[in-house]
Amino acid sequence: MASPRKNLQYGRVHMSGGQSFSGPVPPPIDAAQLPQVRRLVAVPAARVVEAGPDVSAPGRPPAKSTVLDPGSLTDLTAQVKNGDISWRAPAAGDWELFAFWSRENQGNSTNPLDADASRKAAQDLDQLQIGKDNAPKLRKSGADLFEDSLELHATPILWTPKMESEFRSRRRYDMAKYLPMMFVQGESDFPVPPKEPRPDFSFSDGSASKIRHDYYETLTDLYIANHLQVFQDWAKQYGMQYKAQATYLQDLEPIRSFRSLESFGARSETESLDAGENLPVSPADPAWRNSLAFQQTIASGVHQGGGASSASNSGRSSNPPTA
């Protein structure tokens, strides 16, 4: 299979000022439930300004964010030797020692942030689904090659093996010590919450939202270049267009994604289920307000990209009426 989707999870150790730690870096907080092969990405530390509760279950936001001092952030990754670290916290205040781990997502799907994965998936479609005998028929039909429902599931946050280098080249700073700010439980999972959940961590100077914006912007950059563009180029070899239900909000920016999709010469579609459409219809239901706003967002991106229309798979519901 092509390169599978990746996620990033963290472990943490609470430390008092002046306390020493020596031993294996902390495992992911859900390691007992998901004993997977994993790769260490970074080990930062930060001083706690105001402690919040630990995340009690992956995917469930904390009742209050833990506030960290941005000036105290320290990247300790280079000090890790054979999976162990020895570190003494500074004397002032309480501290968090983090470890961030990359691992495969559950489920069988390719990584939408990885161009090699997209090309391998397209190659598999060529060989296993279309076949050389059907290629001329596709060119004659001249319709669409359609990707349905981008329902990404990552209980922690989305990741890709080249994320650190891509982030550095696009945002012009290293992300390692800022990784705690990027964790928002449920934001990388489907169905999408109508409102962004409370982050696990924040900064005392209010700058954490900028860090998360940079992370989301990088995800969208990679999704557009490494997935949408790749599949439109692939569809063109059959004389067809790629059509996609591109982003379902989450942490991918929909206006820019659909604008890019149209500018590539591809076609756009969405569906009602992704935007929280449930029955009965009620203007007072936040899910319905979210659904309408999502459809307006998609239309904005399509028009900005030069498109005149988009398709919608309407009437989809996760809460059907009963007799």
Side-chain angles (χ1 to χ4, degrees), residues 253-276:
E253 208 288 301
I255 290 181
R256 189 155 65 93
S257 297
F258 277 92
R259 182 174 67 228
S260 298
L261 190 65
E262 291 288 330
S263 70
F264 296 155
R267 298 182 62 203
S268 301
E269 180 169 310
T270 185
E271 68 171 296
S272 52
L273 178 61
D274 68 304

Side-chain angles (χ1 to χ4, degrees), residues 80-285:
V80 178
K81 305 297 182 186
N82 299 317
D84 291 352
I85 189 169
S86 295
W87 182 69
R88 183 181 181 87
D94 295 325
W95 290 75
E96 296 281 358
L97 175 64
F98 296 97
F100 291 88
W101 300 90
S102 170
R103 60 199 185 176
E104 288 188 12
N105 249 10
Q106 298 294 295
N108 296 318
S109 58
T110 58
N111 192 334
L113 309 175
D114 185 331
D116 291 338
S118 297
R119 284 189 283 266
K120 180 61 169 65
Q123 187 180 77
D124 287 349
L125 290 170
D126 289 334
Q127 297 173 355
L128 305 177
Q129 297 292 325
I130 297 175
K132 62 181 180 180
D133 293 335
N134 289 322
K137 299 175 184 178
L138 284 179
R139 294 187 184 97
K140 185 176 180 179
S141 69
D144 302 318
L145 289 169
F146 174 52
E147 180 184 17
D148 193 12
S149 296
L150 186 76
E151 299 175 12
L152 301 180
H153 295 279
T155 302
I157 65 172
L158 298 171
W159 195 251
T160 190
K162 298 179 182 178
M163 177 64 79
E164 293 168 280
S165 60
E166 292 285 359
F167 189 95
R168 186 184 307 110
S169 66
R170 296 168 188 271
R171 307 284 86 87
R172 303 299 180 185
Y173 65 95
D174 288 326
M175 68 189 309
K177 66 182 182 181
Y178 297 101
L179 285 170
M181 298 303 112
M182 300 171 193
F183 277 76
V184 180
Q185 300 295 322
E187 187 68 8
S188 297
D189 204 359
F190 181 87
V192 182
K195 183 179 179 182
E196 184 181 55
R198 181 178 293 104
D200 294 14
F201 304 94
S202 65
F203 279 150
S204 55
D205 65 357
S207 63
S209 60
K210 172 62 167 61
I211 304 298
R212 284 192 294 278
H213 174 273
D214 288 349
Y215 168 65
Y216 298 152
E217 187 172 19
T218 303
L219 289 179
T220 305
D221 288 346
L222 298 178
Y223 172 64
I224 290 170
N226 296 343
H227 191 83
L228 298 182
Q229 179 73 76
V230 169
F231 278 102
Q232 170 59 8
D233 292 345
W234 169 71
K236 285 166 62 177
Q237 71 178 330
Y238 293 108
M240 303 179 75
Q241 290 176 295
Y242 169 55
K243 183 168 81 169
Q245 293 180 359
T247 62
Y248 281 14
L249 294 177
Q250 299 187 260
D251 32 24
L252 297 173
E253 208 288 301
I255 290 181
R256 189 155 65 93
S257 297
F258 277 92
R259 182 174 67 228
S260 298
L261 190 65
E262 291 288 330
S263 70
F264 296 155
R267 298 182 62 203
S268 301
E269 180 169 310
T270 185
E271 68 171 296
S272 52
L273 178 61
D274 68 304
E277 181 178 299
N278 291 300
L279 297 175
V281 176
S282 172
D285 185 345

Side-chain angles (χ1 to χ4, degrees), residues 15-26:
M15 298 178 65
S16 301
Q19 181 181 351
S20 293
F21 178 92
S22 184
V25 298

